Amino acid sequence: MASDSNISHQLKFLSSHWKILTRGTPGDLSKSVLQKNHDYWSLWILTILGGSGIYGTTLGAWQGPEMALYVGIKLPFIVFITLATNTLLNGILAQVLGSGLGFRQTLNALLASFSLFSLIVGSLAPISLGMAIDTPGPDSEQAGQVHRSLLIFHTSLISFAGIISTKRLYGLLKDVCPGNAARKTLIAWLAGNLFAGAQIGFLLRPVFGHPGPKIEFLRPDMFAGNFYESVWWALKNLF
C-alpha cells in the first residue's frame, strides 16, 4: 500500500510540474529552481530522456529503425553532455554577472529549460515521424535533396523549441535576478551552451544521417569538420 501511495504521489507531482513547464509561469518555475528538492531532478531528467529520446527516434527514422534507435539514444546524451561540459562555466558566469544564483541553482535553471525544450520537440515528434515516412527514402534518386530539406527542417524545429525554452528561461531569471543581471546571464549561458551543444551534436553524429554511408553509432572521422560547416554546406546546396 505504501508503494502504491508513493507511486500515486510521484505521478501527481509529474503531472503538476509538467503543467508548470508547459505554462512557463516565471514565479512557479523559479520556485522549483530555488528549492533543494531531488524530485525535481528526477522529473527534469525523465522529461529530457523521454521528450528528446522520442523526437530523436523520429529524427533518425528516415534512415530506418537502426538509425532511429541510435538517435533516440544520442539526442538526450547530447543535452546531458552539454550540461556537464558547461556546468562549471555557467555557474561561474552566473556569479560573476551578479545573478545571485549558485552552482546548484544554475544547474536547476538549465535543467528546467532543457526539460521544456524536450517537451516541445517531443510534442512535435508526430510531425517529424510523418515527414520521415512520407518522403522518399535514403535509397531513392531524390535522397540527396530530401536529406538537405530534412536537415533544414529539423534545424528550424530545434531552433523554434530553443527560442521558446529560452524565453521561459529569461522570464525565470528576471524573477530571481536583480537589475539587468538576468539579460547578461542569459546571453552568457546561451553563447556557451549553443556553441558547445552544436559541436557535441556534430561529434556524436550521425544524428541527421547522410544517405549512402553505412549506418553506425559513431563516425570513425568524428573529429573531421564542424557543425557550422555542415549547415552552410546544406544551405548552399539546397538553394
Side-chain angles (χ1 to χ4, degrees):
M1 293 294 292
S3 178
D4 291 342
S5 176
N6 186 51
I7 292 173
S8 176
H9 169 74
Q10 290 295 328
L11 289 175
K12 288 180 180 179
F13 177 79
L14 288 172
S15 176
S16 63
H17 198 69
W18 274 334
K19 289 180 181 178
I20 292 174
L21 280 174
T22 53
R23 290 171 181 167
T25 307
D28 293 330
L29 284 175
S30 60
K31 288 178 184 176
S32 66
V33 166
L34 296 175
Q35 286 183 10
K36 295 181 179 180
N37 187 341
H38 289 291
D39 285 343
Y40 286 108
W41 277 27
S42 301
L43 169 71
W44 292 327
I45 292 171
L46 177 63
T47 303
I48 293 170
L49 285 171
S52 296
I54 291 170
Y55 170 66
T57 300
T58 67
L59 194 157
W62 182 64
Q63 293 268 24
E66 184 179 8
M67 184 69 170
L69 175 63
Y70 288 165
V71 183
I73 294 171
K74 285 196 283 188
L75 199 59
F77 273 94
I78 291 172
V79 173
F80 291 129
I81 294 172
T82 301
L83 282 171
T85 301
N86 283 359
T87 292
L88 181 61
L89 174 61
N90 287 331
I92 293 172
L93 289 171
Q95 296 183 43
V96 168
L97 297 173
S99 70
L101 298 175
F103 286 96
R104 183 189 181 91
Q105 294 165 335
T106 295
L107 180 58
N108 286 353
L110 291 169
L111 275 170
S113 178
F114 276 112
S115 296
L116 179 56
F117 168 85
S118 298
L119 278 178
I120 295 171
V121 294
S123 69
L124 295 172
I127 298 174
S128 174
L129 180 61
M131 288 195 67
I133 294 173
D134 198 46
T135 52
D139 297 326
S140 67
E141 294 181 357
Q142 300 88 3
Q145 180 70 17
V146 171
H147 172 261
R148 290 188 289 271
S149 299
L150 286 174
L151 176 60
I152 300 302
F153 167 78
H154 285 293
T155 301
S156 301
L157 190 152
I158 291 170
S159 299
F160 166 76
I163 290 169
I164 300 299
S165 59
T166 298
K167 183 179 178 181
R168 295 291 182 257
L169 177 61
Y170 182 48
L172 184 159
L173 289 173
K174 286 200 299 183
D175 194 54
V176 299
C177 297
N180 64 349
R183 178 174 53 83
K184 293 187 292 185
T185 302
L186 178 71
I187 292 172
W189 283 358
L190 282 180
N193 289 337
L194 288 173
F195 180 81
Q199 187 58 24
I200 288 168
F202 182 81
L203 291 175
L204 293 181
R205 68 192 189 280
V207 176
F208 295 108
H210 290 280
K214 177 186 175 182
I215 294 176
E216 49 196 345
F217 192 74
L218 292 174
R219 294 265 176 87
D221 60 341
M222 60 184 296
F223 294 105
N226 60 63
F227 170 80
Y228 307 100
E229 287 179 353
S230 67
V231 172
W232 171 247
W233 171 85
L235 284 170
K236 185 173 66 173
N237 284 277
L238 182 61
F239 297 109

